[in-house]
Amino acid sequence: MKEQVSIRPATSADAEQIVEIYNHYVLNTTITFEEEPVDAPEMARRILDVRSIPLPWLIATSDSAVIGYAYASKWRARAAYKFSAEATVYLRAGQVHKGIGSELYRHLIAALQVAGVHAVIGGVALPNDASLRLHEKLGFEKVAHFREVGFKFGRWIDVTYWERILNP
């Protein structure tokens, strides 16, 4: 039986469950370059900051548990970048390869189109085959490969950037 998943905008009340997801990646992977766990008040602030831009921050829930989230942030601060955004997707451990990341990303892209975003950019720390496949599946093109730009867990990490033009 397929799990029933709902997608909705995140609120600061979701911060506790979001940090449970995110801190797994902070402590155990090179997917994020953050090195210290984040607490719920800090995550609530981040959610409010993104939503105030305004850009979308979405969560996927199943049986009222947050099982994933996706959000967009400003690509760069300068005014001419105002139609570009960077997208991020995280899933709770054990929720990968179920289509939840794709569904979250599709909803995020749709919300970005409504918001008038022209270009969506996704950064992928390597290795991360699942994220590379996700970006390819959703029509992103690889536009950059930066070598050894991150250092975590005693090793250098490459990062690729992917772009999708939404409103050509």
Side-chain angles (χ1 to χ4, degrees):
M1 185 170 155
K2 189 170 180 184
E3 187 173 15
Q4 188 73 350
V5 176
S6 299
I7 296 176
R8 64 166 173 81
T11 69
S12 56
D14 300 310
E16 188 67 47
Q17 291 189 69
I18 290 171
V19 296
E20 290 172 9
I21 295 169
Y22 184 61
N23 285 337
H24 163 78
Y25 293 96
V26 170
L27 296 170
N28 300 296
T29 77
T30 58
I31 289 172
T32 176
F33 286 178
E34 201 149 11
E35 296 180 309
E36 298 296 325
V38 175
D39 63 19
E42 170 60 16
M43 189 59 73
R45 185 195 61 74
R46 293 179 186 188
I47 293 166
L48 293 175
D49 285 352
V50 165
R51 304 257 338 253
S52 71
I53 294 174
L55 287 170
W57 188 310
L58 306 174
I59 61 167
T61 62
S62 177
D63 296 327
S64 74
V66 177
I67 58 173
Y69 65 96
Y71 68 93
S73 55
K74 288 182 179 181
W75 169 240
R76 295 283 185 256
R78 302 283 189 254
Y81 291 115
K82 66 182 165 252
F83 297 108
S84 300
E86 185 170 7
T88 304
V89 176
Y90 285 96
L91 297 176
R92 188 175 292 279
Q95 295 295 326
V96 296
H97 306 299
K98 296 181 178 182
I100 300 164
S102 297
E103 197 61 24
L104 269 167
Y105 224 151
R106 282 187 194 98
H107 277 77
L108 183 68
I109 289 167
L112 290 170
Q113 285 177 306
V114 169
V117 169
H118 178 71
V120 180
I121 299 154
V124 180
L126 302 178
N128 187 341
D129 291 339
S131 187
L132 296 177
R133 284 191 306 274
L134 175 65
H135 284 88
E136 287 174 345
K137 179 169 109 176
L138 295 177
F140 285 74
E141 292 181 52
K142 182 179 172 183
V143 293
H145 185 134
F146 297 105
R147 297 178 54 148
E148 299 182 359
V149 293
F151 189 81
K152 188 174 178 183
F153 300 139
R155 66 182 182 89
W156 290 105
I157 303 155
D158 290 5
V159 174
T160 57
Y161 274 90
W162 297 73
E163 179 185 43
R164 179 171 164 186
I165 302 300
L166 299 183
N167 303 305

